[in-house]
Amino acid sequence: MQLTSLSLPPAMLQEAERFAKKEGRTKSELFREALRRYLQEQRWAALRGYGAQQAHKLGAKETDVERLIAEYRKGR
């Protein structure tokens, strides 16, 4: 593991310390979990964006998704 620095406003740091203590975690564990969730959210956002682009190219609407999946699976 690599050590890094993080600058936070005092109020945010105090709140993080309270949450970490309440959950029986270290601040490092709390920040790692927050970053993991943020990165996961960004990956899902990128995937949703890609899906929306592909749907737009195909002229598909969100309401078409289940039908299109069923048709695809039927044709396999």
Side-chain angles (χ1 to χ4, degrees):
M1 217 173 282
Q2 189 170 349
L3 184 63
T4 189
S5 296
L6 179 67
S7 298
L8 297 171
M12 186 181 282
L13 179 59
Q14 288 174 344
E15 189 171 11
E17 288 170 338
R18 280 195 304 274
F19 272 97
K21 186 175 181 179
K22 177 182 172 187
E23 295 179 3
R25 306 169 123 184
T26 64
K27 287 181 290 189
S28 289
E29 290 171 328
L30 186 71
F31 294 138
R32 279 192 297 270
E33 177 65 19
L35 182 56
R36 265 193 296 275
R37 289 180 183 211
Y38 174 80
L39 294 172
Q40 183 179 40
E41 181 181 305
Q42 294 305 305
R43 286 189 295 264
W44 276 110
L47 186 58
R48 284 191 304 271
Y50 173 77
Q53 286 177 343
Q54 295 305 308
H56 181 72
K57 284 180 187 177
L58 295 171
K61 297 181 181 79
E62 188 174 340
T63 55
D64 298 330
V65 172
E66 287 188 33
R67 178 184 54 77
L68 291 169
I69 290 171
E71 288 174 6
Y72 174 80
R73 288 178 177 164
K74 201 175 201 180
R76 287 182 84 194

